[in-house]
Amino acid sequence: MKILGIESSCDETAAAVVEDGVRMLSNEISSQVDIHARYGGVVPEVASRQHLLAIIPVIEQAMVKALTDWHEIDAIAVTHGPGLAGSLLVGVSVAKSIAYAKGIRLVGVNHLEGHIYANWLAETSPKFPLLCLIVSGGHTDLIHMRRHGDYTMLGHTLDDAAGEAFDKAARILGLGYPGGPAIDNAAQQGKTCLALPYSWMSGTHNFSFSGIKSALYRMVEENKIDNVNDAAASFQQAVVSILVSKTIAAAMECGACQILLSGGVASNRLLRQRLCQDSPMPVLIPPPVLCTDNAAMIAACGYFRLQAGVTSGMDIDVIPGFQLAKQPLS
Ligand code: KG4
Ligand code: ZN
């Protein structure tokens, strides 16, 4: 079964063709990073307009690269939330139009669920029950997954998402945008010598990163930082230590047999290395290109949704605040 995936929830316009949920035939991404860099963050109205310009060429390119004709496409999977409303609308409208015009089935996909399914595009398929840490620009969620489509949220961030914290810390340190890769690179040349406060949120699976970021801000204001690379390394060390130990603790507690890592921050080199090194159970992490936003993960997820008998009608709408699983009371 060949599925065309379409993703436009934030600042990447992406299309991909995936076979049977696991074999990537193409994966095209048009990034708006350079456009938003001058504003220091994503400008929603600019993002929507760029999606409009890029989406048709990106889809055409994905079809050409996959050597696939329209009559071979069995379904279109499209991200319909969470994300920026105007950005989501572009992908969903285009997906609906093509599905209607060509008589192809449509399936709406939750973007976070898509991030998890990036792991099915790797050589080894994940095994249940598993624990997934989703770390992106907008989310830091610990999800217990017992089978396809069955998610329980064990913990989440109470303030900044990990990616958001990386982006803000990079801005504080004058390292530019996007902040995650900038901190990752600067940290390679730095020492972890700054004393930053670690908020463990003990007794819960929740996270909090705003205190670490504020402490860094105060150090900059008080001229206490001599070396930006050391500051980046110390900040990264703090965030990664918390992510790694809380993820392992949650996985042990829920009886997971594997840990999956996904979302843009999963490209972070220290996080990848530390999680694999410290975990007592196997860890699966997609290659960096499948950690950040892409459409192959949406097509992979769409396949498993279709296998479960789920399809969407022409009335499918965008859900900017779409949740994957109910957040625990805490
Ligand atoms: O999943 P993603 O591409 O988009 C969202 O769904 O949010 O994640 C983007 C986030 C940004 O905050 C970016 O700074 C962060 O992922 N990121 C990284 C790295 N690469 C991207 N954070 C830390 N280290 C990286 N190497
Ligand atoms: Zn994402």
Side-chain angles (χ1 to χ4, degrees):
M1 188 190 276
K2 283 186 186 175
I3 298 186
L4 170 69
I6 298 176
E7 156 64 37
S8 69
S9 65
C10 191
D11 59 344
E12 325 278 5
T13 319
V17 178
V18 170
E19 195 169 32
D20 296 336
V22 294
R23 269 185 306 284
M24 203 165 65
L25 304 184
S26 64
N27 187 29
E28 293 301 298
I29 303 170
S30 167
S31 175
Q32 304 177 9
V33 158
D34 294 343
I35 296 164
H36 298 288
R38 76 184 81 136
Y39 306 107
V42 178
V43 182
E45 181 60 26
V46 174
S48 315
R49 289 168 190 269
Q50 284 303 318
H51 283 306
L52 277 175
L53 295 175
I55 195 132
I56 299 295
V58 165
I59 291 173
E60 282 172 350
Q61 190 79 359
M63 293 293 289
V64 168
K65 288 247 174 98
L67 302 173
T68 298
D69 200 70
W70 281 106
H71 73 265
E72 297 171 72
I73 295 290
D74 297 288
I76 298 176
V78 63
T79 304
H80 67 129
L84 301 170
S87 291
L88 289 164
L89 266 171
V90 176
V92 169
S93 308
V94 167
K96 275 194 215 181
S97 310
I98 300 174
Y100 181 71
K102 301 200 179 284
I104 302 174
R105 277 187 297 173
L106 186 64
V107 58
V109 168
N110 179 307
H111 178 79
L112 299 171
E113 195 176 3
H115 271 305
I116 298 176
Y117 276 88
N119 284 285
W120 267 263
L121 295 163
E123 265 173 36
T124 336
S125 278
K127 294 194 174 43
F128 299 117
L130 58 86
L131 188 279
C132 184
L133 170 67
I134 306 176
V135 263
S136 68
H139 292 81
T140 302
D141 296 339
L142 279 171
I143 306 275
H144 181 205
M145 190 173 177
R146 287 180 205 84
R147 60 191 81 84
H148 289 292
D150 178 342
Y151 309 100
T152 305
M153 165 114 50
L154 301 183
H156 61 100
T157 179
L158 300 184
D159 39 56
D160 291 346
E164 187 182 356
F166 269 100
D167 291 336
K168 288 178 178 170
R171 198 176 311 156
I172 290 169
L173 295 174
L175 288 172
Y177 171 88
I183 297 252
D184 193 339
N185 288 332
Q188 298 289 315
Q189 277 102 52
K191 295 187 297 299
T192 53
C193 51
L194 247 61
L196 291 166
Y198 285 39
S199 33
W200 290 106
M201 308 299 289
S202 302
T204 76
H205 295 303
N206 291 331
F207 300 93
S208 168
F209 297 113
S210 67
I212 310 175
K213 173 203 68 192
S214 303
L216 189 67
Y217 180 73
R218 275 196 303 277
M219 286 182 175
V220 170
E221 287 288 287
E222 293 164 9
N223 286 324
K224 285 187 180 155
I225 293 183
D226 306 322
N227 185 314
V228 170
N229 294 338
D230 289 352
S234 306
F235 176 83
Q236 178 176 267
Q237 169 83 10
V239 173
V240 166
S241 298
I242 293 166
L243 289 172
V244 168
S245 54
K246 297 202 69 138
T247 301
I248 294 172
M252 310 252 290
E253 192 179 303
C254 72
C257 69
Q258 279 187 343
I259 292 177
L260 304 193
L261 188 58
S262 60
V265 184
S267 338
N268 183 270
R269 283 170 279 183
L270 184 68
L271 176 58
R272 299 169 79 91
Q273 177 206 322
R274 282 277 309 280
L275 190 58
C276 293
Q277 184 185 304
D278 294 0
S279 170
M281 59 199 83
V283 175
L284 300 190
I285 313 175
V289 69
L290 294 175
C291 290
T292 44
D293 290 350
N294 66 86
M297 67 186 196
I298 303 302
C301 181
Y303 170 82
F304 290 99
R305 304 287 291 155
L306 287 165
Q307 293 297 101
V310 179
T311 51
S312 304
M314 282 297 146
D315 56 350
I316 183 178
D317 205 351
V318 300
I319 312 173
F322 203 176
Q323 285 186 13
L324 179 56
K326 278 226 172 314
Q327 303 194 344
L329 295 171
S330 56

